Amino acid sequence: MAYITNLVESYPLLYAAMGGILPALFWLWFWIQEDKLNPEPRGRIFMAFLGGMIAVILVYPLERFVHQHFGAINTSTIFAWSVIEEFAKYLIVAIIALHSKDFDEPLDAMTYIITVALGFAALENTLFILHPLLSGEAFQSFVTGNERFIGASLLHVVCSGIIGFFLGLAFYKNKIYKMIYRVFGIMLAVALHAAFNLFIIYKNGQKTLFVFSVLWILVLVILLLFERIKKVKAP
């Protein structure tokens, strides 16, 4: 055990990257199984995953500004962070996939935006794991990695999956309806994201187990939404 701890502390960046990226790749493999009949090009999937990681870099200064403006972590800060992150993920998928030739069926909306979400979670989790490692707290880093695997990663998937669902529902609709569906999907994702984080910090995490339980139920809901989107046909 001591040898493993020393090894981890000797290569903190490598361990953090493995702890952040490998679980995200596992979830990515899991979710793309939903699109077996007409799978997306690997190159486009890679671009979406990488775009999600880039989004972390883009939102960091904005979230830092929000934190400095509102002070300590509170309802306003958490809500603003949720808006920034969900809109950033949507913007990345809009740039990379939504106007490409590969975006040719309603299901693609959920596939691509969940891929972006997992790229976002991969780098975000890496940074969260790296921080305690740089302070010499290998065990805390291990705990953080596990919590992010079953918590934050799935939160990003669920929230982005909701946006993707509404994008998919609007696939064959006119521009006005597409805009309405997109705005509603983003608003719903922001509300869920903010609620999750608020419950996590409620009374120093007393509701954490409850929130994680609800989150896993929502993962099942996202799976059902995948099946619903598969039935959307051109009028």
Side-chain angles (χ1 to χ4, degrees):
M1 184 65 180
Y3 171 77
I4 296 176
T5 300
N6 291 335
L7 185 64
V8 168
E9 292 178 348
S10 299
Y11 304 96
L13 183 58
L14 177 61
Y15 173 77
M18 291 176 60
I21 296 174
L22 292 182
L25 291 177
F26 165 78
W27 286 123
L28 176 60
W29 170 84
F30 175 84
W31 289 105
I32 61 177
Q33 300 306 305
E34 293 294 321
D35 195 11
K36 279 186 174 181
L37 295 179
N38 186 25
E40 302 309 302
R42 292 183 179 180
R44 188 75 62 180
I45 290 292
F46 173 76
M47 288 172 61
F49 189 85
L50 183 61
M53 298 179 75
I54 293 173
V56 176
I57 301 172
L58 298 178
V59 305
Y60 175 74
L62 296 176
E63 292 186 332
R64 186 175 181 181
F65 171 80
V66 167
H67 185 266
Q68 292 173 343
H69 181 74
F70 289 110
I73 296 179
N74 51 42
T75 303
S76 298
T77 301
I78 288 176
F79 180 78
W81 282 355
S82 300
V83 171
I84 292 170
E85 292 188 7
E86 295 308 324
F87 184 76
K89 288 182 288 183
Y90 166 76
L91 186 61
I92 291 294
V93 80
I95 293 172
I96 292 176
L98 298 189
H99 301 289
S100 72
K101 59 181 177 60
D102 299 316
F103 185 59
D104 55 8
E105 61 177 343
L107 185 60
D108 293 348
M110 294 189 72
T111 300
Y112 280 122
I113 199 166
I114 284 178
T115 302
V116 170
L118 287 169
F120 190 98
L123 184 54
E124 187 180 55
N125 292 350
T126 297
L127 297 176
F128 271 96
I129 295 171
L130 182 62
H131 179 70
L133 275 181
L134 295 178
S135 302
E137 301 175 4
F139 179 74
Q140 180 59 43
S141 178
F142 175 78
V143 172
T144 300
N146 281 278
E147 290 179 345
R148 304 289 300 181
F149 176 71
I150 62 175
S153 297
L154 291 183
L155 174 65
H156 283 298
V157 166
V158 168
C159 292
S160 293
I162 289 173
I163 297 175
F165 174 71
F166 283 97
L167 291 176
L169 283 181
F171 188 85
Y172 295 112
K173 298 186 180 297
N174 60 43
K175 290 184 178 180
I176 295 177
Y177 275 100
K178 284 183 177 180
M179 181 61 66
I180 294 173
Y181 276 56
R182 291 180 185 190
V183 171
F184 183 79
I186 294 173
M187 289 174 59
L188 188 58
V190 168
L192 181 62
H193 195 149
F196 175 88
N197 287 334
L198 285 171
F199 272 105
I200 284 294
I201 67 172
Y202 177 75
K203 291 186 177 180
N204 296 320
Q206 290 185 9
K207 297 288 187 179
T208 300
L209 182 60
F210 167 76
V211 173
F212 279 10
S213 300
V214 172
L215 188 58
W216 278 98
I217 293 173
L218 290 176
V219 169
L220 298 178
V221 172
I222 295 299
L223 287 171
L224 294 176
L225 294 183
F226 262 104
E227 297 306 315
R228 172 66 181 84
I229 285 296
K230 291 176 183 178
K231 298 177 182 179
V232 175
K233 305 296 182 183

